Amino acid sequence: MCTRPTPGRTRLCPHAWRLAYALELYVYTLPRERAGLVYVSKLDSSGYGPPTPSPAVRAHLPPARSLTSTLTAAALHYFLVHDHWTTPIDHISLHVLARAQDAYLFPSSHKHPNKRVLSDAALIRWWQTCLSHVALSVQARAFYLIPGYSRLDSHAIVPLHHANDSAVSRAQWQYGHPYHLADVPLPLHPCAWEHRHAATRSEALAARVVPTMIPVFPDDPKGRFVKEQAATAHEPGASMKPIPRAASPAHREAIAERQALERLSVDGFWERMGFRQECCSGNAVGIFVVSTTRQGGAAPSPAPKARPCSLPHPMLEDLLLKHMMQDACVWHDPTEAATCTQRLFDAMDRAIQRKGGGDAAPHADVTLPAISTDVLERAQTHPPAQAAPSPASVRVLPVKKKARRS
């Protein structure tokens, strides 16, 4: 999403446009298992979006979600709806790893005065609220886990109880991972009442172990830990089961790594994740899984047509790396941000034209309503009353004096 400070109709991205919001996610399809996975890799804002009203103004406005939360929930809802998939899909799982950083996709954007950088606890709460609306819209089961924290210890980061009418309360979040529950469908492990396929499953695929239960994604701290655990099979003295001599060297190496992962239980994996640098360096990390399954295996709706402007993933990743995520892209400076935005969209237009997808990338002009003058006047004349702070009780410990020796 990009914004422009002045009104008027121009072409896709003139010099005045600046990127304000970006979301990077991966979508995977497992046709044989009739399952799909959606992984949110990065989400970032640059600070050029509509300014957030002050608390005095918000007190005179109806409750509303932020633009970032609305766009994120809408995008995730689109990919969690079964009608989106081009192949018959019965089970879809959404995976999010919330880790606080100054910038994800817009380098130096944290220096912009209008960008609000969330702390680790605030980011985890934000994702839980945003995903609550998504889970309610698709009737999904929601799970969250903070590695290194038990359920009772996590209350300092995420409250255990919310208001009854809040989206978080109605989503019925469960603390923990879904990989130990037999009634929760997984990408490679359907439940007994599901009818994904009739083919006979191999013994290795049917085993409920770390390699078949925990998905690994690009740039995923959890995935890096899985690879490190697999690498222990090559350490001196590692015990392994006999491997057939007829297997090729690559096959023998894969079997050894699989055996190393099978020795680690799923609960033990998440317990060790709490001691990883990403999770114990002072910042908490939130793991979210939202799972939705279509009951009865109904026939899917007609598949949507492929968009002619779609670009191959390697080409799109290269464009974003060159024109958006390099350190030379100074996003906190308005002039440089407009230049980077123009270069990125020009490069995307050229790539789409080479692929025969038209003249330019698809876009739509959306006008956001401004706050009315009467609301601004009421905010100045009737500021919200501030509740008086309640006196905090203080307990003073007496100083222990050493006893005199006679």
Side-chain angles (χ1 to χ4, degrees):
M1 186 195 78
C2 54
T3 60
R4 185 181 56 191
T6 56
R9 293 186 60 84
T10 55
R11 67 187 188 89
L12 176 64
C13 190
H15 189 72
W17 288 97
R18 299 177 183 91
L19 280 173
Y21 169 87
L23 172 65
E24 179 184 75
L25 56 85
Y26 293 82
V27 180
Y28 301 88
T29 305
L30 287 70
R32 183 178 181 274
E33 305 295 335
R34 299 176 65 93
L37 292 90
V38 180
Y39 170 60
V40 177
S41 176
K42 298 179 183 67
L43 169 65
D44 201 2
S45 62
S46 62
Y48 295 103
T52 303
S54 63
V57 175
R58 289 201 301 267
H60 298 273
L61 294 174
R65 295 154 59 190
S66 65
L67 183 61
T68 302
S69 177
T70 302
L71 292 174
T72 303
L76 298 181
H77 171 82
Y78 172 78
F79 287 102
L80 285 182
V81 175
H82 294 271
D83 297 343
H84 157 74
W85 300 83
T86 58
T87 55
I89 294 296
D90 293 338
H91 170 69
I92 307 173
S93 59
L94 168 64
H95 302 261
V96 178
L97 187 143
R99 181 176 52 177
Q101 291 184 1
D102 292 337
Y104 301 89
L105 295 170
F106 298 104
S108 77
S109 61
H110 61 281
K111 301 179 182 179
H112 195 283
N114 292 337
K115 179 174 181 178
R116 182 187 176 190
V117 179
L118 299 180
S119 63
D120 54 348
L123 180 66
I124 294 175
R125 291 193 296 267
W126 183 90
W127 268 114
Q128 187 184 45
T129 303
C130 179
L131 294 177
S132 297
H133 295 280
V134 179
L136 292 174
S137 64
V138 296
Q139 299 181 355
R141 299 182 63 174
F143 303 85
Y144 77 102
L145 175 67
I146 304 177
Y149 293 80
S150 65
R151 179 180 178 275
L152 296 179
D153 293 337
S154 68
H155 77 280
I157 301 175
V158 177
L160 299 181
H161 300 284
H162 301 267
N164 294 331
D165 58 343
S166 65
V168 178
S169 177
R170 288 183 285 114
Q172 299 182 357
W173 286 89
Q174 301 182 45
Y175 189 81
H177 59 84
Y179 307 107
H180 65 283
L181 301 177
D183 61 334
V184 177
L186 298 174
L188 298 181
H189 293 277
C191 291
W193 49 265
E194 287 189 88
H195 305 281
R196 296 191 191 173
H197 56 78
T200 303
R201 300 172 61 87
S202 63
E203 182 180 354
L205 187 62
R208 299 179 66 89
V209 291
V210 171
T212 62
M213 299 184 71
I214 300 179
V216 175
F217 304 107
D219 193 20
D220 180 13
K222 167 176 57 63
R224 288 193 290 269
F225 185 43
V226 170
K227 294 178 181 178
E228 290 183 9
Q229 293 299 311
T232 59
H234 308 293
E235 295 179 355
S239 59
M240 295 184 299
K241 299 179 182 178
I243 300 177
R245 294 180 177 271
S248 62
H251 192 194
R252 293 172 60 88
E253 180 178 350
I255 294 177
E257 293 179 353
R258 171 65 180 258
Q259 293 179 5
L261 289 176
E262 288 182 351
R263 290 196 296 267
L264 179 63
S265 65
V266 178
D267 291 335
F269 173 86
W270 289 109
E271 183 178 355
R272 296 188 185 185
M273 269 292 296
F275 298 95
R276 295 279 296 173
Q277 181 180 0
E278 296 91 344
C279 303
C280 67
S281 59
N283 292 330
V285 175
I287 308 292
F288 299 91
V289 179
V290 177
S291 175
T292 173
T293 303
R294 176 165 45 193
Q295 300 284 348
S301 302
K305 297 181 180 179
R307 296 185 178 272
C309 61
S310 59
L311 296 176
H313 173 261
M315 180 182 297
L316 183 60
E317 187 178 32
D318 184 65
L319 290 175
L320 297 180
L321 180 61
K322 287 182 178 179
H323 304 286
M324 183 175 174
M325 299 178 61
Q326 283 189 352
D327 293 337
C329 299
V330 183
W331 286 100
H332 70 277
D333 182 81
T335 304
E336 292 292 333
T339 303
C340 293
T341 302
Q342 182 66 49
R343 291 176 179 173
L344 173 62
F345 277 82
D346 287 345
M348 293 183 63
D349 288 346
R350 292 192 297 267
I352 292 174
Q353 291 175 12
R354 288 196 299 267
K355 292 294 182 180
D359 297 333
H363 68 282
D365 294 335
V366 179
T367 302
L368 299 179
I371 300 176
S372 59
T373 55
D374 59 337
V375 173
L376 297 178
E377 293 176 356
R378 287 200 307 269
Q380 294 179 356
T381 57
H382 300 83
Q386 297 182 356
S390 58
S393 59
V394 180
R395 178 179 296 178
V396 180
L397 299 179
V399 179
K400 297 184 66 176
K401 298 182 179 180
K402 295 182 179 180
R404 294 182 179 180
R405 295 182 179 179
S406 56

mmCIF file of all heavy atoms in Angstrom, residues 334-353:
data_model
loop_
_atom_site.group_PDB
_atom_site.id
_atom_site.type_symbol
_atom_site.label_atom_id
_atom_site.label_comp_id
_atom_site.label_asym_id
_atom_site.label_seq_id
_atom_site.Cartn_x
_atom_site.Cartn_y
_atom_site.Cartn_z
ATOM 1 N N PRO A 334 11.492 11.642 3.526
ATOM 2 C CA PRO A 334 10.359 11.661 2.584
ATOM 3 C C PRO A 334 10.781 11.700 1.125
ATOM 4 O O PRO A 334 10.170 11.023 0.282
ATOM 5 C CB PRO A 334 9.588 12.933 2.991
ATOM 6 C CG PRO A 334 9.973 13.172 4.405
ATOM 7 C CD PRO A 334 11.395 12.716 4.534
ATOM 8 N N THR A 335 11.814 12.457 0.796
ATOM 9 C CA THR A 335 12.251 12.539 -0.600
ATOM 10 C C THR A 335 12.826 11.212 -1.069
ATOM 11 O O THR A 335 12.503 10.721 -2.160
ATOM 12 C CB THR A 335 13.292 13.663 -0.767
ATOM 13 O OG1 THR A 335 12.732 14.899 -0.305
ATOM 14 C CG2 THR A 335 13.706 13.804 -2.219
ATOM 15 N N GLU A 336 13.684 10.609 -0.258
ATOM 16 C CA GLU A 336 14.264 9.308 -0.618
ATOM 17 C C GLU A 336 13.188 8.225 -0.657
ATOM 18 O O GLU A 336 13.240 7.322 -1.500
ATOM 19 C CB GLU A 336 15.363 8.937 0.384
ATOM 20 C CG GLU A 336 16.593 9.817 0.331
ATOM 21 C CD GLU A 336 17.359 9.617 -0.964
ATOM 22 O OE1 GLU A 336 17.258 8.522 -1.550
ATOM 23 O OE2 GLU A 336 18.057 10.557 -1.387
ATOM 24 N N ALA A 337 12.210 8.294 0.241
ATOM 25 C CA ALA A 337 11.140 7.294 0.235
ATOM 26 C C ALA A 337 10.317 7.385 -1.042
ATOM 27 O O ALA A 337 9.921 6.359 -1.616
ATOM 28 C CB ALA A 337 10.248 7.483 1.458
ATOM 29 N N ALA A 338 10.038 8.599 -1.518
ATOM 30 C CA ALA A 338 9.307 8.749 -2.773
ATOM 31 C C ALA A 338 10.122 8.223 -3.948
ATOM 32 O O ALA A 338 9.576 7.592 -4.862
ATOM 33 C CB ALA A 338 8.948 10.221 -2.987
ATOM 34 N N THR A 339 11.441 8.458 -3.924
ATOM 35 C CA THR A 339 12.298 7.947 -5.000
ATOM 36 C C THR A 339 12.339 6.428 -4.990
ATOM 37 O O THR A 339 12.238 5.786 -6.048
ATOM 38 C CB THR A 339 13.716 8.523 -4.851
ATOM 39 O OG1 THR A 339 13.652 9.953 -4.866
ATOM 40 C CG2 THR A 339 14.609 8.049 -5.981
ATOM 41 N N CYS A 340 12.475 5.818 -3.828
ATOM 42 C CA CYS A 340 12.498 4.348 -3.734
ATOM 43 C C CYS A 340 11.167 3.754 -4.181
ATOM 44 O O CYS A 340 11.142 2.719 -4.861
ATOM 45 C CB CYS A 340 12.815 3.927 -2.299
ATOM 46 S SG CYS A 340 14.478 4.334 -1.729
ATOM 47 N N THR A 341 10.078 4.393 -3.814
ATOM 48 C CA THR A 341 8.768 3.906 -4.241
ATOM 49 C C THR A 341 8.628 3.957 -5.747
ATOM 50 O O THR A 341 8.136 3.008 -6.380
ATOM 51 C CB THR A 341 7.663 4.739 -3.577
ATOM 52 O OG1 THR A 341 7.806 4.669 -2.152
ATOM 53 C CG2 THR A 341 6.289 4.239 -3.970
ATOM 54 N N GLN A 342 9.061 5.077 -6.350
ATOM 55 C CA GLN A 342 8.962 5.212 -7.802
ATOM 56 C C GLN A 342 9.810 4.167 -8.513
ATOM 57 O O GLN A 342 9.367 3.533 -9.480
ATOM 58 C CB GLN A 342 9.404 6.617 -8.215
ATOM 59 C CG GLN A 342 9.296 6.886 -9.712
ATOM 60 C CD GLN A 342 7.849 6.881 -10.174
ATOM 61 O OE1 GLN A 342 7.012 7.537 -9.566
ATOM 62 N NE2 GLN A 342 7.564 6.156 -11.224
ATOM 63 N N ARG A 343 11.032 3.941 -8.032
ATOM 64 C CA ARG A 343 11.915 2.961 -8.665
ATOM 65 C C ARG A 343 11.348 1.553 -8.546
ATOM 66 O O ARG A 343 11.429 0.758 -9.497
ATOM 67 C CB ARG A 343 13.303 3.029 -8.026
ATOM 68 C CG ARG A 343 14.069 4.320 -8.334
ATOM 69 C CD ARG A 343 15.381 4.344 -7.573
ATOM 70 N NE ARG A 343 16.140 5.550 -7.868
ATOM 71 C CZ ARG A 343 17.266 5.887 -7.244
ATOM 72 N NH1 ARG A 343 17.756 5.099 -6.280
ATOM 73 N NH2 ARG A 343 17.897 6.987 -7.582
ATOM 74 N N LEU A 344 10.783 1.220 -7.394
ATOM 75 C CA LEU A 344 10.225 -0.116 -7.204
ATOM 76 C C LEU A 344 9.064 -0.365 -8.145
ATOM 77 O O LEU A 344 9.000 -1.404 -8.819
ATOM 78 C CB LEU A 344 9.786 -0.286 -5.749
ATOM 79 C CG LEU A 344 9.033 -1.581 -5.416
ATOM 80 C CD1 LEU A 344 9.915 -2.786 -5.670
ATOM 81 C CD2 LEU A 344 8.538 -1.568 -3.977
ATOM 82 N N PHE A 345 8.130 0.574 -8.251
ATOM 83 C CA PHE A 345 6.976 0.363 -9.102
ATOM 84 C C PHE A 345 7.339 0.430 -10.576
ATOM 85 O O PHE A 345 6.726 -0.270 -11.396
ATOM 86 C CB PHE A 345 5.884 1.383 -8.767
ATOM 87 C CG PHE A 345 5.055 0.963 -7.589
ATOM 88 C CD1 PHE A 345 5.477 1.173 -6.297
ATOM 89 C CD2 PHE A 345 3.845 0.328 -7.785
ATOM 90 C CE1 PHE A 345 4.718 0.783 -5.220
ATOM 91 C CE2 PHE A 345 3.074 -0.069 -6.709
ATOM 92 C CZ PHE A 345 3.504 0.159 -5.425
ATOM 93 N N ASP A 346 8.311 1.233 -10.944
ATOM 94 C CA ASP A 346 8.768 1.229 -12.334
ATOM 95 C C ASP A 346 9.378 -0.123 -12.688
ATOM 96 O O ASP A 346 9.145 -0.655 -13.781
ATOM 97 C CB ASP A 346 9.784 2.349 -12.560
ATOM 98 C CG ASP A 346 9.124 3.718 -12.580
ATOM 99 O OD1 ASP A 346 7.890 3.780 -12.700
ATOM 100 O OD2 ASP A 346 9.855 4.734 -12.463
ATOM 101 N N ALA A 347 10.178 -0.676 -11.787
ATOM 102 C CA ALA A 347 10.777 -1.988 -12.041
ATOM 103 C C ALA A 347 9.716 -3.077 -12.119
ATOM 104 O O ALA A 347 9.803 -3.987 -12.959
ATOM 105 C CB ALA A 347 11.794 -2.311 -10.950
ATOM 106 N N MET A 348 8.688 -2.996 -11.284
ATOM 107 C CA MET A 348 7.611 -3.981 -11.343
ATOM 108 C C MET A 348 6.810 -3.838 -12.634
ATOM 109 O O MET A 348 6.403 -4.843 -13.234
ATOM 110 C CB MET A 348 6.705 -3.823 -10.127
ATOM 111 C CG MET A 348 7.351 -4.185 -8.804
ATOM 112 S SD MET A 348 6.222 -4.083 -7.393
ATOM 113 C CE MET A 348 5.016 -5.317 -7.833
ATOM 114 N N ASP A 349 6.589 -2.616 -13.082
ATOM 115 C CA ASP A 349 5.873 -2.414 -14.345
ATOM 116 C C ASP A 349 6.631 -3.026 -15.508
ATOM 117 O O ASP A 349 6.036 -3.685 -16.373
ATOM 118 C CB ASP A 349 5.650 -0.922 -14.582
ATOM 119 C CG ASP A 349 4.610 -0.341 -13.637
ATOM 120 O OD1 ASP A 349 3.892 -1.147 -13.004
ATOM 121 O OD2 ASP A 349 4.524 0.887 -13.521
ATOM 122 N N ARG A 350 7.945 -2.820 -15.541
ATOM 123 C CA ARG A 350 8.747 -3.397 -16.624
ATOM 124 C C ARG A 350 8.726 -4.918 -16.576
ATOM 125 O O ARG A 350 8.637 -5.584 -17.613
ATOM 126 C CB ARG A 350 10.183 -2.882 -16.533
ATOM 127 C CG ARG A 350 10.332 -1.393 -16.846
ATOM 128 C CD ARG A 350 11.804 -1.032 -17.018
ATOM 129 N NE ARG A 350 12.559 -1.256 -15.782
ATOM 130 C CZ ARG A 350 12.767 -0.326 -14.864
ATOM 131 N NH1 ARG A 350 12.252 0.895 -15.006
ATOM 132 N NH2 ARG A 350 13.486 -0.591 -13.771
ATOM 133 N N ALA A 351 8.798 -5.484 -15.370
ATOM 134 C CA ALA A 351 8.768 -6.940 -15.255
ATOM 135 C C ALA A 351 7.425 -7.503 -15.694
ATOM 136 O O ALA A 351 7.367 -8.540 -16.371
ATOM 137 C CB ALA A 351 9.073 -7.353 -13.815
ATOM 138 N N ILE A 352 6.337 -6.835 -15.348
ATOM 139 C CA ILE A 352 5.014 -7.309 -15.746
ATOM 140 C C ILE A 352 4.821 -7.187 -17.255
ATOM 141 O O ILE A 352 4.244 -8.072 -17.897
ATOM 142 C CB ILE A 352 3.928 -6.517 -14.987
ATOM 143 C CG1 ILE A 352 3.967 -6.875 -13.496
ATOM 144 C CG2 ILE A 352 2.543 -6.806 -15.548
ATOM 145 C CD1 ILE A 352 3.031 -6.053 -12.644
ATOM 146 N N GLN A 353 5.343 -6.126 -17.848
ATOM 147 C CA GLN A 353 5.229 -5.975 -19.298
ATOM 148 C C GLN A 353 6.009 -7.065 -20.030
ATOM 149 O O GLN A 353 5.567 -7.577 -21.059
ATOM 150 C CB GLN A 353 5.735 -4.591 -19.707
ATOM 151 C CG GLN A 353 4.835 -3.440 -19.252
ATOM 152 C CD GLN A 353 5.420 -2.083 -19.576
ATOM 153 O OE1 GLN A 353 6.388 -1.989 -20.328
ATOM 154 N NE2 GLN A 353 4.845 -1.032 -18.995
#
